[in-house]
Amino acid sequence: MSLPVHFDSYEGYFDACTQFFEEYENLYNFANTDVLVKGIIDGICIDNFKDVDVFEPDFDLRSETEDIEVFNDFFNKLDKLQVEYNNVELNTEYKINAPLGPKKKHEIICLAKEIGRLCDNIGCDTVVDFGSGLGYLDQVIFDMTHYNVLGLECNESHYVGAKKRQNKYHIDSTSCVKFIKHRITEHSHINLKDFLSDKFQNCNSFCITGLHACADLTVDAMNIFLKMENARAMILMPCCYHKMRIENLSDGKFSNFPLSNCLKEVYFKKRGFEYMKIPFLRLAAQPQLTSQSDIRNLVFNLLARAVLQIYACKYNYKIKRKKRKAVRVKTILNNFESYAQDACTEGFLFMQENLEIDHFNESIFYNKPFDAKVAVEELNSIWHDLSPVTFKKAAIFILLQNQLQPIIENFILLDRIVYLKENGLLNTTCRKIVNANISPRCLALYAHK
């Protein structure tokens, strides 16, 4: 990763990004579930789009807003902050015989190839996989490179599953691919030293990797890498930035963001803690819209969940998901009646909260026992009251967030790169290693000693 041409210092880039994020915090500094409750999208002007169908496959926000000053300012400032990455072509030479979707197979193959190249160049003989799951990546690394591989996984069922898969399908790898149940922390360098000496007595130098190194795992891996002399290379694919540890619940500051002294100085001077909160980091992890044809589905998802929030606020409910994907939106074909039925009966728990009085608005939030049938009827009524203008504004809102996403993610990753450089690791960068049309998490953090 190199700085955009308009900047010659990390501090200057961080400063410009921070000013940009502060100016446009109205596009992200809130939970997206609140876009209707808080009137977030009301301020989006669509006067110039009255006769334009924003849901058309060939609609392009930038070209349609060339003559609108507020949009021109946004795109001009955004372009100066943009970091360019090379595109990654699809490679179908290597096949994975495993029950995985095309996205996961593509990620595994691309990462394994990059690990092989990096280890060959640096001279590593062992790879340590942080968060190894069911061991799919580890078996492919061994198959491609024949390096020793140590997979560390904290989930008991995944750890057991990896060993079962190995004994059933990869019995030839048992002497070179090992699995250990262990939860990675920033202090795991002590354990890792023992694990390696126990499993691979001939290990001279190793590479740390992680596919979808969630939340703080990437930062913990970086700190372990800095502490261990025989850790010679590192390649990590981070994700879920918004799940990082919060240092203080009262102010929402994160333990591992910002990391670098360079960004910390700018962050506190510009009061970044006021607008670089969970929604900011969540947007960094949000999948990019790769096709305009997806916009209709995204608008439905956004507004459908926002309608639930209107109902919850009216009757003082707190909404909690019962499962990871609360509503299978792909199967309901943007039918809100089906969505509401599924949400109220299967997907979400509507929990009663205590009676509260909002003195500022002189209104009372009152408790109401949850009745799914009654809720579905009212939710359908709210949905049908939404105007076409609301759907159009929601589409523009999503397209603007989509423009912000790569800038925010690059900003977070550059903070980590600068942190490593500040700690003496000059050979560090960020590269796109998978095809963004297949996997939204396509960036990898590289470092070697």
Side-chain angles (χ1 to χ4, degrees), residues 198-249:
D198 177 51
K199 299 296 183 183
F200 306 116
Q201 286 80 15
N202 61 341
C203 174
N204 295 311
S205 60
F206 65 92
C207 170
I208 292 174
T209 192
L211 174 60
H212 299 165
C214 186
D216 296 282
L217 181 56
T218 296
V219 179
D220 290 339
M222 288 162 52
N223 286 323
I224 292 169
F225 183 69
L226 290 168
K227 292 172 184 175
M228 300 189 71
E229 185 177 350
N230 59 338
R232 306 298 297 173
M234 179 178 70
I235 176 169
L236 301 164
M237 294 185 71
C239 68
C240 302
Y241 309 105
H242 58 290
K243 294 183 179 180
M244 289 195 291
R245 291 187 294 268
I246 293 179
E247 193 172 85
N248 190 331
L249 290 175

Side-chain angles (χ1 to χ4, degrees), residues 416-431:
R416 296 176 180 186
I417 288 171
V418 174
Y419 171 76
L420 291 171
K421 289 180 181 291
E422 289 174 348
N423 282 275
L425 202 62
L426 301 182
N427 298 308
T428 180
T429 189
C430 186
R431 297 176 193 159

Side-chain angles (χ1 to χ4, degrees), residues 270-368:
K270 302 285 189 179
R271 300 184 65 81
F273 47 84
E274 293 181 351
Y275 46 90
M276 295 186 200
K277 298 184 282 191
I278 288 177
F280 176 81
L281 298 183
R282 185 185 295 276
L283 182 52
Q286 189 166 292
Q288 271 270 287
L289 176 65
T290 56
S291 171
Q292 173 65 16
S293 61
D294 295 332
I295 190 68
R296 197 177 296 276
N297 295 333
L298 293 175
V299 168
F300 175 84
N301 297 344
L302 174 73
L303 294 181
R305 180 60 182 84
V307 165
L308 295 189
Q309 202 66 20
I310 290 176
Y311 184 85
C313 289
K314 179 178 179 180
Y315 296 112
N316 204 31
Y317 289 121
K318 182 178 180 181
I319 302 178
K320 185 177 181 181
R321 288 182 300 178
K322 293 181 181 179
K323 49 192 176 182
R324 191 172 72 87
K325 291 190 177 180
V327 179
R328 296 281 178 176
V329 290
K330 289 184 180 180
T331 63
I332 63 173
L333 302 176
N334 292 354
N335 182 295
F336 185 78
E337 291 182 9
S338 299
Y339 178 95
Q341 182 68 31
D342 196 13
C344 292
T345 57
E346 303 292 336
F348 293 98
L349 185 66
F350 288 74
M351 300 181 296
Q352 289 273 233
E353 294 192 310
N354 295 329
L355 179 71
E356 296 179 12
I357 300 177
D358 184 344
H359 294 286
F360 182 77
N361 290 317
E362 297 182 348
S363 59
I364 297 177
F365 295 102
Y366 52 91
N367 289 329
K368 175 183 178 180

Side-chain angles (χ1 to χ4, degrees), residues 249-268:
L249 290 175
S250 63
D251 58 22
K253 293 177 185 175
F254 295 91
S255 301
N256 288 318
F257 176 76
L259 268 183
S260 66
N261 292 328
C262 182
L263 179 54
K264 283 178 181 177
E265 185 175 340
V266 174
Y267 175 88
F268 287 108

Side-chain angles (χ1 to χ4, degrees), residues 81-270:
L81 304 175
Q82 201 78 256
V83 175
E84 297 296 330
Y85 293 99
N86 293 328
N87 290 324
V88 177
E89 299 299 324
L90 292 178
N91 191 319
T92 57
E93 293 176 10
Y94 186 92
K95 305 291 185 183
I96 299 178
N97 185 18
L100 298 170
K103 170 180 170 292
K104 193 65 176 284
K105 287 183 178 180
H106 177 65
E107 292 169 343
I108 288 172
I109 292 169
C110 291
L111 180 55
K113 285 184 176 180
E114 291 298 318
I115 290 167
R117 292 192 192 101
L118 186 60
C119 290
D120 286 347
N121 291 336
I122 305 303
C124 298
D125 51 54
T126 301
V127 178
V128 182
D129 180 13
F130 284 9
S132 54
L134 293 170
Y136 295 115
L137 173 63
D138 305 325
Q139 298 296 350
V140 173
I141 292 172
F142 173 71
D143 189 39
M144 282 187 174
T145 67
H146 297 289
Y147 292 133
N148 293 328
V149 184
L150 175 62
L152 302 180
E153 173 57 46
C154 66
N155 183 290
E156 174 72 22
S157 63
H158 289 169
Y159 161 71
V160 172
K163 292 179 73 70
K164 285 182 178 178
R165 284 193 73 260
Q166 183 178 42
N167 291 326
K168 186 174 182 179
Y169 302 111
H170 305 282
I171 195 67
D172 61 323
S173 73
T174 52
S175 62
C176 297
V177 180
K178 304 291 185 179
F179 298 103
I180 293 177
K181 184 177 180 293
H182 177 74
R183 181 176 293 278
I184 300 292
T185 72
E186 61 181 315
H187 307 296
S188 289
H189 59 288
I190 300 169
N191 309 87
L192 184 51
K193 184 178 180 181
D194 294 337
F195 294 156
L196 287 169
S197 62
D198 177 51
K199 299 296 183 183
F200 306 116
Q201 286 80 15
N202 61 341
C203 174
N204 295 311
S205 60
F206 65 92
C207 170
I208 292 174
T209 192
L211 174 60
H212 299 165
C214 186
D216 296 282
L217 181 56
T218 296
V219 179
D220 290 339
M222 288 162 52
N223 286 323
I224 292 169
F225 183 69
L226 290 168
K227 292 172 184 175
M228 300 189 71
E229 185 177 350
N230 59 338
R232 306 298 297 173
M234 179 178 70
I235 176 169
L236 301 164
M237 294 185 71
C239 68
C240 302
Y241 309 105
H242 58 290
K243 294 183 179 180
M244 289 195 291
R245 291 187 294 268
I246 293 179
E247 193 172 85
N248 190 331
L249 290 175
S250 63
D251 58 22
K253 293 177 185 175
F254 295 91
S255 301
N256 288 318
F257 176 76
L259 268 183
S260 66
N261 292 328
C262 182
L263 179 54
K264 283 178 181 177
E265 185 175 340
V266 174
Y267 175 88
F268 287 108
K269 183 174 68 175
K270 302 285 189 179

Side-chain angles (χ1 to χ4, degrees), residues 42-57:
D42 291 348
I44 294 177
C45 180
I46 61 167
D47 292 344
N48 292 67
F49 306 128
K50 286 180 179 178
D51 301 319
V52 177
D53 186 355
V54 299
F55 296 100
E56 280 294 314

